[in-house]
Amino acid sequence: MFDTICTLPLPSDLFAQAIHPTSPLLTVGLASGHVQTYRLPPTTSSPTHATPKNGCGTIETSWRTKRHRGSCRSLAFSSDGDVLFSAGTDGIVKAARTETGRVEAKIGVPLVHSKSDAPCLLHALSPQTLLLATDSGALHLYDLRIDPKSSAIAAESKPQATHHPHDDYVSSLTPLPPTAASTSGFPKQWVTTGGTTLAVTDLRRGVLVRSEDQEEELLSSVYVGGLTSKRGRDGGDKVLVGGGSGVLTLWDKGAWDDQDGRIIVDSGKESLDVLAMIPDGLGEGSCVAVGMGDGRVKIVRVGVNKVVGEMRHDEVEGVVGLGFEVGGRMVSGGGQVVKVWQETADVEEDEEDEEVDRVGVKRGAGSDSDEDSEGDEESSEEEEQERKRRKKRKRVNSNGRSGAKDMMQFTGID
């Protein structure tokens, strides 16, 4: 269903990946604490740039910086894509301009019993609300404000509210679409997974419901609308949840106490670490891409509830990041590699298995390193703690590879 059109090596292990909502931009957060933004070549679907006439393009580095002491654990773009949020094991959340990478605001992660509480997940719910989850199981809500005159980012130093939807850390967060009565057009509720439970939280009312114990670790989630409901509810909207034993569970919207169905994705019980909805127009019907702990990516068609395709991101490392950029290309990340995929029908036959060599170096002028050289090396203790936290992702301890070039040849995009 998809073929690799570019393989992008990274200088250290990938811990976080974020895809811009409206531009062909990809940002990665690394174990070394570096954050780097790449610009993918445009496609006919890209709204802002002309497609290269020769069918070739380059992946260029927009900017790169040492953003955090220790590892960068999570990344998230604002709803309009103008701001990039990053969170690291240094206990700091930073808000930077997407275009330049320049930091404009910082938030300190609240301590727990006078000890640091490392962040594990970020999500910009709306222009006013940033969600931050930590290893202790806390889910903090921060009030954000952007001055329309100066475009300056302002963030409250303390969370507006804090909830504990699970006994364990939050492993995934999926916003629920706003209702027809919403005046803002932004979500007010979201689904989280953590440990062996699913929970629904409301922006103002807090945790609304927590599911029964599912007796397996719940790792990932994605919202799928417009499906047929077994229980006769309007719309048939569901949340799909990936578990630690190779099974996708289906949850009927509004019936959060227990799952509505199951799809066996892997009979070998490999973990389903990350889920991404495939955009309309790619494939047939409603399909979900599933990134797995052994490096495979499977395509599941919802409705008929079966696996319809399989690819491999890596032979050893698990898939950490998975999503689709504005041009419809799939981006998978894990280990020290990011891969860009295109629907099979759009790739020339003689280029399907071509591996592209690195050429040249091109750096963006907006690089803004806001950490000194003392933080360049992550302690072995911190790396070990991070790997234990991500044990389901089957990471392999390594000392890192040589740095990647900053401009990649990219073929077969038209």
Side-chain angles (χ1 to χ4, degrees):
M1 182 174 284
F2 292 91
D3 285 298
T4 310
I5 54 176
C6 183
T7 298
L8 179 65
L10 302 172
S12 63
D13 279 353
L14 177 77
F15 277 6
Q17 172 181 301
I19 299 174
H20 195 278
T22 59
S23 298
L25 295 176
L26 165 71
T27 300
V28 296
L30 307 179
S32 62
H34 286 86
V35 174
Q36 185 162 347
T37 293
Y38 299 96
R39 179 172 291 278
L40 306 181
T43 68
T44 54
S45 301
S46 299
T48 56
H49 294 81
T51 303
K53 294 180 179 179
N54 62 359
C56 298
T58 56
I59 293 183
E60 300 180 1
T61 297
S62 294
W63 53 266
R64 180 176 186 269
T65 181
K66 172 72 173 177
R67 178 102 311 158
H68 295 280
R69 296 176 184 272
S71 62
C72 174
R73 276 196 165 188
S74 186
L75 295 167
F77 281 106
S78 61
S79 54
D80 60 6
D82 289 345
V83 179
L84 174 71
F85 299 97
S86 65
T89 53
D90 53 7
I92 300 175
V93 176
K94 298 184 179 182
R97 284 294 163 189
T98 299
E99 184 178 354
T100 64
R102 189 167 299 280
V103 174
E104 292 194 353
K106 300 179 182 180
I107 302 172
V109 179
L111 302 177
V112 175
H113 304 303
S114 301
K115 296 182 179 180
S116 62
D117 188 17
C120 61
L121 186 147
L122 281 171
H123 183 83
L125 190 69
S126 71
Q128 289 78 37
T129 305
L130 177 70
L131 305 179
L132 166 66
T134 65
D135 279 356
S136 70
L139 179 60
H140 303 294
L141 282 65
Y142 284 91
D143 184 23
L144 301 175
R145 290 291 183 267
I146 297 179
D147 188 338
K149 294 182 180 180
S150 63
S151 297
I153 305 168
E156 295 292 334
S157 59
K158 294 182 179 180
Q160 186 179 24
T162 297
H163 306 297
H164 292 81
H166 308 281
D167 295 331
D168 206 340
Y169 72 94
V170 175
S171 55
S172 75
L173 188 152
T174 297
L176 296 175
T179 64
S182 173
T183 57
S184 68
F186 293 103
K188 298 290 194 302
Q189 296 181 350
W190 57 90
V191 171
T192 56
T193 59
T196 60
T197 60
L198 174 146
V200 179
T201 305
D202 184 88
L203 181 62
R204 293 182 174 84
R205 294 182 288 167
V207 180
L208 300 179
V209 63
R210 183 194 290 192
S211 74
E212 298 177 358
D213 188 340
Q214 300 301 299
E215 298 182 353
E216 73 165 329
E217 190 172 8
L218 306 183
L219 302 173
S220 54
S221 58
V222 68
Y223 178 86
V224 182
L227 300 174
T228 301
S229 173
K230 290 182 180 179
R231 305 185 185 187
R233 289 181 171 83
D234 293 338
D237 299 339
K238 295 183 184 297
V239 170
L240 272 60
V241 175
S245 60
V247 176
L248 272 179
T249 54
L250 286 71
W251 298 72
D252 207 1
K253 184 181 177 182
W256 305 113
D257 55 330
D258 206 353
Q259 60 189 253
D260 186 48
R262 296 167 64 86
I263 304 173
I264 299 176
V265 177
D266 186 65
S267 58
K269 297 186 177 182
E270 188 58 60
S271 61
L272 312 182
D273 292 345
V274 58
L275 304 178
M277 189 69 191
I278 297 179
D280 294 338
L282 297 180
E284 298 179 5
S286 298
C287 293
V288 172
V290 183
M292 302 174 62
D294 62 357
R296 288 178 293 166
V297 177
K298 290 191 176 185
I299 307 299
V300 176
R301 185 175 299 160
V302 186
V304 295
N305 294 352
K306 67 178 183 180
V307 176
V308 296
E310 180 178 327
M311 297 137 285
R312 181 165 286 279
H313 169 79
D314 193 88
E315 295 293 335
V316 178
E317 301 286 358
V319 179
V320 173
L322 188 64
F324 289 83
E325 52 86 44
V326 66
R329 293 166 295 198
M330 183 171 73
V331 182
S332 63
Q336 296 184 8
V337 172
V338 168
K339 289 186 176 181
V340 183
W341 309 73
Q342 189 160 282
E343 194 175 19
T344 303
D346 294 333
V347 181
E348 298 293 335
E349 290 184 3
D350 60 352
E351 294 179 345
E352 286 186 359
D353 298 318
E354 180 180 356
E355 182 162 344
V356 185
D357 294 328
R358 290 173 281 171
V359 294
V361 175
K362 187 172 182 180
R363 293 189 181 277
S367 180
D368 171 36
S369 181
D370 53 329
E371 296 291 348
D372 58 33
S373 60
E374 293 180 0
D376 284 348
E377 294 187 2
E378 191 177 15
S379 69
S380 59
E381 180 180 355
E382 181 184 347
E383 287 183 355
E384 183 62 25
Q385 290 174 347
E386 179 69 13
R387 291 176 189 278
K388 287 180 179 179
R389 191 187 72 87
R390 292 173 174 264
K391 61 183 182 299
K392 289 293 182 180
R393 303 195 187 282
K394 295 187 175 179
R395 295 193 167 278
V396 177
N397 190 20
S398 66
N399 292 323
R401 302 175 188 153
S402 60
K405 301 291 184 182
D406 290 310
M407 186 167 71
M408 302 291 299
Q409 186 67 27
F410 195 107
T411 64
I413 66 169
D414 65 348

